[in-house]
Amino acid sequence: DADYMEFDAPNRLMTPAFSGGLGWGFPAALGAKIADPKRQVVATVGDGCYIFANPVACHQIAEAMKLPILIVVMNNGIWNAVRRAALAVYPKGEASKQQLLPITSLSPTPDFCKIAEASRGWAERVETGADLPAAIQLALLSTLGAGDHLLVADTVYAPVRNLCKRVLPRFGIEPQFYDPLIGAGIEALMRPNTKVVYVESPGSQTF
């Protein structure tokens, strides 16, 4: 919702017409990344929209064409667009009398994380709002591109360490762990292709 966002330049938000946009978000994000590879692209979609987008095909294309993007899937377990459309056309129809409209439930919900992981994507399920910022931070790290270098504090917690050691190198990204007490010495580790310096305060673990 643009009412809760701030934009400092044009062409920062794209959204489809309500009349026919279900499934639009994921492919549109891929197109935006192709158009401007240096820009961070984020697609926020509902679970119904994610399913409509044919996510297996989208993730395969993202991997094949090296298009790192961030997808946030909000799984409310329902095709709410279908529900709203039915009630808008027939507000007093038979469907409106039912607690759950036919062909709108997504239960049982698929494991969306495994769909992304099938194409070697980074995926994480978040159960509470408090865990969302850390999950998005990890996901953004995973959208670095081939040839990028990042510096990571050697006290990061296990999910970040696993991401850096097991996932990012598959995409040609070079993580380098540094002593969090290095201070000004970190300047010597910086390279022209260093895109991220990951810090934690306080550090989660000590190795």
Side-chain angles (χ1 to χ4, degrees), residues 79-139:
W79 266 313
N80 207 31
V82 176
R83 177 181 178 276
R84 290 200 307 266
L87 295 179
V89 177
Y90 301 106
K92 298 181 179 180
E94 288 299 317
S96 67
K97 302 174 184 177
Q98 302 185 38
Q99 187 172 8
L100 181 64
L101 273 64
I103 323 176
T104 59
S105 174
L106 294 176
S107 182
T109 302
D111 190 330
F112 300 123
C113 289
K114 285 186 169 55
I115 297 175
E117 290 168 352
S119 288
R120 274 69 57 184
W122 172 260
E124 182 174 353
R125 182 183 179 90
V126 177
E127 300 288 348
T128 66
D131 294 333
L132 184 59
I136 290 179
Q137 189 175 41
L138 286 176

Side-chain angles (χ1 to χ4, degrees), residues 3-157:
D3 291 339
Y4 299 95
M5 303 179 192
E6 293 184 3
F7 302 100
D8 57 4
N11 300 322
R12 292 294 192 268
L13 175 66
M14 293 187 295
T15 184
F18 177 74
S19 58
L22 198 59
W24 179 88
F26 198 163
L30 294 174
K33 190 66 175 179
I34 291 173
D36 193 347
K38 295 183 179 179
R39 183 173 295 184
Q40 176 66 61
V41 177
V42 180
T44 56
V45 298
D47 42 5
C49 183
Y50 181 73
I51 292 173
F52 257 59
N54 193 351
V56 173
C58 287
H59 283 296
Q60 191 276 333
I61 290 297
E63 181 182 21
M65 298 189 66
K66 295 181 173 57
L67 301 172
I69 60 177
L70 170 61
I71 307 295
V72 180
V73 181
M74 298 169 285
N75 56 328
N76 60 358
I78 187 173
W79 266 313
N80 207 31
V82 176
R83 177 181 178 276
R84 290 200 307 266
L87 295 179
V89 177
Y90 301 106
K92 298 181 179 180
E94 288 299 317
S96 67
K97 302 174 184 177
Q98 302 185 38
Q99 187 172 8
L100 181 64
L101 273 64
I103 323 176
T104 59
S105 174
L106 294 176
S107 182
T109 302
D111 190 330
F112 300 123
C113 289
K114 285 186 169 55
I115 297 175
E117 290 168 352
S119 288
R120 274 69 57 184
W122 172 260
E124 182 174 353
R125 182 183 179 90
V126 177
E127 300 288 348
T128 66
D131 294 333
L132 184 59
I136 290 179
Q137 189 175 41
L138 286 176
L140 288 173
L141 274 178
S142 73
T143 64
L144 290 165
D148 290 344
H149 170 254
L150 72 149
L151 293 168
V152 185
D154 205 17
T155 52
V156 292
Y157 71 128

Side-chain angles (χ1 to χ4, degrees), residues 182-202:
I182 194 172
I186 197 171
E187 182 179 359
L189 303 180
M190 301 292 285
R191 306 177 188 175
N193 62 332
T194 301
K195 296 296 179 66
V196 172
V197 178
Y198 191 101
V199 299
E200 281 193 352
S201 180

